[in-house]
Amino acid sequence: MRLLSTLFLVFTLVGCQSAYYATMEQVGIHKRDIMADRVEAASEAQQEASDQFTSALEALTELTQFDGGELEAMYNTINDQYEESETAVDNVRDRIQGVEDVSDALFDEWQEELDLYSSANLRRESERKLNATKQSYRQMLSAMKKAEGKMTPVLDTLRDNTLYLKHNLNAAAIGALKGEFSGLEQEINRAIKDMQLAIDESERFLTTLKN
């Protein structure tokens, strides 16, 4: 499935999604397969972001418990955590966009092909499955978007803390950041909870898609 991701990147860079889907069709990989791959990738990205937020929280916990030592090294650790969190969030956003792109193509194709049926029974059954898949997709995408929305304030707070520490490498700065820690901890826990809900919705959607 890594081949799918590589080919997707190549065609995205040249701005030719339709050509990408057509090429994949020629080698027997359909939009449904691509969608399943991208949903799995988005779910993995959310899990990675969740793990990264946990790591950042642990680093900040150590910072608030700072009791002497090299503050420069502590700052470097916090800055690394922020940068890795930013990368993780960007990856989640990119993966969600990929899911949305292929879903539009898949559902449009599925809807158009309903008119090709000569059997009314088969058409109704296909339409029923299309509607069920759309409903499951909307629930999953809503969960993904909600989790994505919770990531932004976490990232903003991490950036604020990192910038403040950068220009105030002293014990007083640690005291100031302690006051921010409780709110950040709550933000991170809420984001992690919503990411897990989105991951659960992804699993349910994949079951619907594959059935």
Side-chain angles (χ1 to χ4, degrees), residues 158-183:
L158 286 175
R159 184 184 61 246
D160 289 349
N161 289 351
T162 303
L163 287 172
Y164 187 78
L165 186 61
K166 177 181 180 180
H167 298 291
N168 299 275
L169 289 175
N170 52 57
I174 305 301
L177 292 179
K178 285 182 180 180
E180 301 288 328
F181 181 74
S182 177

Side-chain angles (χ1 to χ4, degrees), residues 192-203:
I192 289 173
K193 178 181 177 181
D194 283 343
M195 279 187 275
Q196 185 56 55
L197 290 174
I199 290 169
D200 293 342
E201 284 294 341
S202 296
E203 292 176 357

Side-chain angles (χ1 to χ4, degrees), residues 132-192:
T133 304
K134 280 184 175 181
Q135 181 179 1
S136 180
Y137 168 75
R138 285 192 291 266
Q139 291 174 346
M140 177 195 69
L141 185 63
S142 176
M144 284 185 173
K145 292 285 192 179
K146 182 179 179 182
E148 180 189 358
K150 293 291 179 62
M151 295 178 193
T152 300
V154 170
L155 206 57
D156 289 345
T157 305
L158 286 175
R159 184 184 61 246
D160 289 349
N161 289 351
T162 303
L163 287 172
Y164 187 78
L165 186 61
K166 177 181 180 180
H167 298 291
N168 299 275
L169 289 175
N170 52 57
I174 305 301
L177 292 179
K178 285 182 180 180
E180 301 288 328
F181 181 74
S182 177
L184 175 61
E185 185 177 23
Q186 291 177 11
E187 287 178 351
I188 289 178
N189 287 333
R190 283 194 294 265
I192 289 173

Side-chain angles (χ1 to χ4, degrees), residues 80-127:
D80 288 344
Q81 290 294 332
Y82 165 67
E83 291 180 349
E84 290 174 12
S85 296
E86 185 177 38
T87 297
V89 171
D90 287 342
N91 189 36
V92 168
R93 289 169 177 160
D94 290 343
R95 296 298 185 181
I96 292 175
Q97 183 60 59
V99 170
E100 290 184 281
D101 287 342
V102 72
S103 70
D104 289 341
L106 173 63
F107 292 142
D108 286 348
E109 178 184 74
W110 197 340
Q111 185 66 48
E112 291 172 0
E113 289 179 345
L114 290 177
D115 294 333
L116 301 179
Y117 282 95
S118 57
S119 168
N121 288 337
L122 291 179
R123 184 190 189 285
R124 280 194 297 271
E125 179 61 15
S126 182
E127 187 172 25

